[in-house]
Amino acid sequence: MPVCNPPGASSLIGQTSTSCLQKFTIHFRRPEILKQNKNAPYKGEYGFDWLRDEYIYPMEVVLADMWSSTPRNLNMVTPLCKDPINLRKEYLPNVESPEKEFKPHGQDYYPAWLSIFACNVQVDNADAGSNMHEHGVYLDLQLEEIDEIINDNTEIFFKPSVPCLKITPEKISISEFLKTKREKQIIDNRDKQLEIYYYYYKLENAVKIICQGDTLKQHEEIKVIAKLGSNEYEVGQLMVYQNNEIGKANIIVVNVITEYDKNNNKVIPQSHPSLKNLYNCQSFNQAMIQANINTRENFDLFALKKQHHDVKKFFEDIDDPNYLDGSRPKMKKRRIDPAEDIRKRLCALYEKYGKYAPKGKRIKDGGHYNTYLLFTNLSPGGGALGIAQLNKKKFKETYEWGNMFVIFANALTGDHTIVHEAAHSFTLPHIFEHTNINNKPIFYQGYTENYMDYTWLYKDVYIKEDTSYNKYDRKMYSFFKWQWDLMRNDKKSIKFPKKQEE
């Protein structure tokens, strides 16, 4: 992260003089390839979030903004986040206490956040432990210059805030950074005469971090200390997310049967081959949430249509091409959104005839802690891959996400869609959508690797068919830190075991 303020002339109150220390900061970063995973690319194996330069500085071209109050073409270099000031605050561990902000050499500093499970837990909350990260995770270290750095035997030490949080090696010489290439990062070149940039060095897979023997009862930190002789100074931090309370999501998988083959066998949607791994090791594990997916049901609507009029009417509609492509007129000349109408009707039918429907409650109600995932071979028009339940609160102009979502034929095995729609059910909105539901800093659509972004972007607001792929398409495996918080606060879908709560 570049330095935004001029260096101060004296050391910060309460810290050792830095007159003999060079001025730089150290930042933890996620590697491009994971050393602990045989050098495979990152696919959500642990939670890691940081304030990316392109989110707050004008570094990338945004073509169009379809989600503003007045959609408009931009075709300009701009920060990818529309609210960079508030975005910065999301990464501060003491956002409620600005006086406690960490400012090395008087500079703004925004620590990265890591979330990993504890392993080999021997104490009371051993049920919160896991072997998922028992071999630790490797992170890059990035040294960002304030002054140009030379090899003067300065050493970098790491100081975890609790004993169960371990980092190896415990120290690194600054000379190790200087063996790598000095890189220039331009963060604003709109005016070639006033180009803004910084220089940095990066050590790849430089440190390994593990939480071992106990869990973290609160967010903890690893401090980075620069030391030369008797002088030392804090130059970086890594925040490590609390991991003593693991949220549980109970997902009921429903295969919706709408056809039989010529041999009179049920045609079951070919759903994702490993939902458990996708949800527990590549997505919601980042928020310290684990999904239980032991319940599956083949919901045979094809057989039920002979017995129930509402099911029969549903089949009459889905057999109508004008219904599926959304071209059938509705009352008052409004057209039906086929994806939403199918979701709504499947929800109602499952509440009436489904084996695992909540007893005495609606699916959208709280208290049953179930999330219903419906796979269907139906393919509504408009390119819909999946859709989640969104309900208007009674007597209020506000909305809340429900407890069910549908995955359509074109996305039955699609990692991104299956996680994206589940995350809606866990209260997350799109990151580009202005909404009163968990509203957080808003981004332009199609420019991030976040699960709640789209895999495509608009090139022209006046030609909606003129689109392009998100450059991270098929590599979108991350949630933001504040999204971890939001999902864990979903009281309808996420349950914390009593032993942990006590």
Side-chain angles (χ1 to χ4, degrees), residues 376-474:
T376 175
N377 283 325
L378 297 175
S379 184
L385 301 177
I387 188 168
Q389 185 179 31
L390 182 62
N391 307 301
K392 185 176 180 181
K393 289 185 178 180
K394 197 172 183 179
F395 306 121
K396 295 182 180 180
E397 291 301 317
T398 57
Y399 294 80
E400 64 179 359
W401 295 103
N403 302 313
M404 68 91 67
F405 57 102
V406 178
I407 304 298
F408 296 116
N410 292 335
L412 293 175
T413 60
D415 289 1
H416 181 265
T417 300
I418 294 171
V419 174
H420 179 102
E421 299 302 338
H424 276 323
S425 189
F426 297 160
T427 76
L428 296 190
H430 296 123
I431 63 169
F432 50 79
E433 196 168 9
H434 297 266
T435 172
N436 56 21
I437 311 171
N438 287 338
N439 199 17
K440 287 289 182 178
I442 306 299
F443 291 75
Y444 293 104
Q445 178 197 321
Y447 294 90
T448 78
E449 62 169 15
N450 192 270
Y451 268 119
M452 302 316 292
D453 201 352
Y454 276 174
T455 60
W456 55 278
L457 56 92
Y458 287 104
K459 296 169 67 176
D460 190 323
V461 298
Y462 302 108
I463 309 174
K464 293 186 178 181
E465 296 76 17
D466 190 8
T467 62
S468 182
Y469 284 109
N470 183 330
K471 71 178 182 179
Y472 296 107
D473 183 32
R474 303 181 187 278

Side-chain angles (χ1 to χ4, degrees), residues 313-346:
K313 182 63 172 68
F314 178 68
F315 273 87
E316 290 174 356
D317 286 336
I318 63 175
D319 288 338
D320 179 358
N322 292 328
Y323 173 80
L324 283 179
D325 67 15
S327 62
R328 180 198 288 179
K330 197 178 179 182
M331 292 178 62
K332 298 182 181 179
K333 298 183 179 180
R334 293 175 57 193
R335 296 192 182 279
I336 295 172
D337 175 356
E340 170 55 22
D341 198 60
I342 289 172
R343 185 213 60 76
K344 185 186 301 183
R345 294 170 74 176
L346 286 178

Side-chain angles (χ1 to χ4, degrees), residues 150-420:
I150 61 172
N151 184 10
D152 63 352
N153 297 318
T154 295
E155 291 187 304
I156 307 299
F157 288 82
F158 305 102
K159 295 186 178 181
S161 55
V162 289
C164 65
L165 194 57
K166 307 177 191 299
I167 181 170
T168 53
E170 296 180 351
K171 65 178 181 177
I172 295 176
S173 171
I174 199 173
S175 63
E176 294 301 313
F177 289 93
L178 296 177
K179 293 176 184 177
T180 67
K181 184 179 178 181
R182 186 176 186 243
E183 303 277 0
K184 179 180 181 181
Q185 178 64 65
I186 300 171
I187 59 175
D188 188 349
N189 66 351
R190 291 174 296 179
D191 185 339
K192 298 297 182 181
Q193 303 300 315
L194 298 172
E195 189 178 73
I196 302 174
Y197 59 88
Y198 65 94
Y199 286 101
Y200 70 95
Y201 298 88
K202 180 180 286 187
L203 279 180
E204 296 180 350
N205 290 288
V207 293
K208 183 177 77 170
I209 298 172
I210 189 170
C211 183
Q212 190 175 54
D214 199 359
T215 57
L216 306 180
K217 311 303 188 296
Q218 62 184 14
H219 301 325
E220 297 291 352
E221 66 180 357
I222 296 176
K223 293 184 176 182
V224 185
I225 309 297
K227 186 174 182 180
L228 179 62
S230 61
N231 293 314
E232 62 179 52
Y233 191 76
E234 186 176 351
V235 293
Q237 291 179 350
L238 174 69
M239 297 302 302
V240 186
Y241 202 79
Q242 176 182 349
N243 63 13
N244 68 316
E245 296 181 344
I246 309 304
K248 304 296 182 182
N250 190 46
I251 297 180
I252 294 178
V253 178
V254 179
N255 296 316
V256 180
I257 311 299
T258 54
E259 59 180 316
Y260 281 31
D261 65 19
K262 62 182 180 180
N263 295 318
N264 204 34
N265 297 313
K266 300 174 184 178
V267 178
I268 299 173
Q270 298 300 306
S271 57
H272 197 283
S274 183
L275 280 176
K276 185 174 182 180
N277 184 72
L278 178 63
Y279 283 153
N280 291 340
C281 302
Q282 292 183 258
S283 56
F284 301 121
N285 51 294
Q286 298 173 40
M288 294 290 119
I289 293 171
Q290 293 287 274
N292 174 26
I293 317 176
N294 293 329
T295 303
R296 289 178 179 266
E297 177 183 358
N298 289 333
F299 184 42
D300 194 346
L301 285 179
F302 192 86
L304 289 173
K305 74 176 180 178
K306 298 177 181 179
Q307 309 168 35
H308 303 285
H309 176 75
D310 50 357
V311 181
K312 181 180 178 181
K313 182 63 172 68
F314 178 68
F315 273 87
E316 290 174 356
D317 286 336
I318 63 175
D319 288 338
D320 179 358
N322 292 328
Y323 173 80
L324 283 179
D325 67 15
S327 62
R328 180 198 288 179
K330 197 178 179 182
M331 292 178 62
K332 298 182 181 179
K333 298 183 179 180
R334 293 175 57 193
R335 296 192 182 279
I336 295 172
D337 175 356
E340 170 55 22
D341 198 60
I342 289 172
R343 185 213 60 76
K344 185 186 301 183
R345 294 170 74 176
L346 286 178
C347 181
L349 292 173
Y350 191 80
E351 286 176 335
K352 291 179 70 174
Y353 310 119
K355 182 178 179 180
Y356 299 105
K359 305 301 181 183
K361 294 178 180 288
R362 303 283 301 279
I363 284 178
K364 69 178 183 179
D365 295 335
H368 56 79
Y369 291 103
N370 292 331
T371 299
Y372 294 84
L373 162 52
L374 277 64
F375 287 109
T376 175
N377 283 325
L378 297 175
S379 184
L385 301 177
I387 188 168
Q389 185 179 31
L390 182 62
N391 307 301
K392 185 176 180 181
K393 289 185 178 180
K394 197 172 183 179
F395 306 121
K396 295 182 180 180
E397 291 301 317
T398 57
Y399 294 80
E400 64 179 359
W401 295 103
N403 302 313
M404 68 91 67
F405 57 102
V406 178
I407 304 298
F408 296 116
N410 292 335
L412 293 175
T413 60
D415 289 1
H416 181 265
T417 300
I418 294 171
V419 174
H420 179 102

Side-chain angles (χ1 to χ4, degrees), residues 3-22:
V3 172
C4 303
N5 305 321
S10 59
S11 61
L12 299 179
I13 296 174
Q15 293 193 307
T16 307
S17 170
T18 64
S19 58
C20 296
L21 288 169
Q22 301 179 81

